[in-house]
Amino acid sequence: MENLRHKIEEVVAVYKSKNYTKAESMCKNLLETNPEIAFLYNLMGIILADQKKFDLAIDYYNKCISVDPKFAHTYSNMGNVYKVKNNLDKAEECYLKSIKINGKISEPHNNLGNLFKLKNKYKEALISYKKAIEIDPNFFWAYYNLATTYTSLGNYSDGEKAFEKTIKINPYFSAAHRNLSRV
């Protein structure tokens, strides 16, 4: 098991280096010998989605769900792909399913907030971002999205505070600095 963990870490490192083709090949090899590991299907879906192979990514997310229907991250990741494909209803369904399975993961709440913002449902977006922050107070993306939503609504005071919190958590996040200067 330790050997498998090491191999997965290698795939993740190659993926993070943006060598997606190599990461895809490595992950495929691991899946051939470990078809019962749901995480690997999810990882393959992420790798494929970053290569814009969206339909194939969805196939791997579905394989992950068939191995482990309670793998909440996969539903959120699949929702991101459906959002890119402009199937917003399916994306929302996936985010809600992820939250239903495990409401203690911040990313699906943040992703749902982004979807609501896209649909001009700002009140729901704010609620989702705040829930993501409640779960993970150091999740700078949720603060950033909260800030941009506040400023879109003309609430510059709360937007400024959320941008400042974003920068406090991630001082190298240039978009937050830029947006704060505009506020």
Side-chain angles (χ1 to χ4, degrees):
M1 192 63 167
E2 189 60 37
N3 189 32
L4 176 59
R5 175 197 232 144
H6 178 70
K7 288 179 180 180
I8 291 171
E9 288 171 356
E10 287 177 354
V11 175
V12 171
V14 170
Y15 163 75
K16 285 182 176 180
S17 75
K18 299 195 184 303
N19 188 344
Y20 301 130
T21 305
K22 184 175 180 183
E24 180 181 346
S25 175
M26 291 170 71
C27 196
K28 269 186 189 170
N29 289 338
L30 284 179
L31 276 166
E32 286 175 12
T33 55
N34 302 281
E36 73 289 352
I37 306 292
F39 178 85
L40 289 172
Y41 294 101
N42 184 60
L43 179 57
M44 181 63 95
I46 293 167
I47 293 166
L48 292 166
D50 276 356
Q51 296 177 80
K52 301 188 182 345
K53 298 177 181 178
F54 300 122
D55 292 333
L56 199 51
I58 289 171
D59 289 343
Y60 274 91
Y61 290 139
N62 282 319
K63 288 176 185 176
C64 178
I65 291 165
S66 70
V67 171
D68 182 359
K70 299 291 185 190
F71 201 101
H73 288 284
T74 296
Y75 293 97
S76 185
N77 293 335
M78 191 174 352
N80 291 339
V81 171
Y82 280 119
K83 183 178 158 204
V84 169
K85 290 175 58 89
N86 206 31
N87 187 339
L88 303 185
D89 292 336
K90 187 69 174 171
E92 184 174 348
E93 179 184 311
C94 289
Y95 296 142
L96 292 172
K97 178 75 173 181
S98 178
I99 291 166
K100 182 179 179 185
I101 291 170
N102 185 349
K104 301 291 184 199
I105 305 171
S106 56
E107 288 86 354
H109 292 280
N110 183 65
N111 293 340
L112 183 61
N114 289 338
L115 181 69
F116 284 143
K117 186 175 179 184
L118 187 63
K119 291 180 161 186
N120 297 319
K121 295 180 175 182
Y122 296 106
K123 181 180 176 183
E124 292 90 338
L126 292 171
I127 291 167
S128 293
Y129 296 140
K130 289 176 183 177
K131 183 64 179 175
I133 291 166
E134 179 185 314
I135 293 165
D136 181 359
N138 291 314
F139 189 29
F140 71 90
W141 278 109
Y143 280 105
Y144 178 77
N145 292 327
L146 183 68
T148 60
T149 304
Y150 276 138
T151 57
S152 294
L153 296 171
N155 184 343
Y156 300 111
S157 175
D158 286 338
E160 180 179 359
K161 290 175 194 167
F163 281 130
E164 287 171 349
K165 185 66 177 179
T166 305
I167 292 166
K168 184 177 179 184
I169 296 167
N170 184 352
Y172 304 106
F173 190 26
S174 60
H177 286 282
R178 187 173 48 254
N179 280 301
L180 177 59
S181 71
R182 290 179 180 160
V183 173

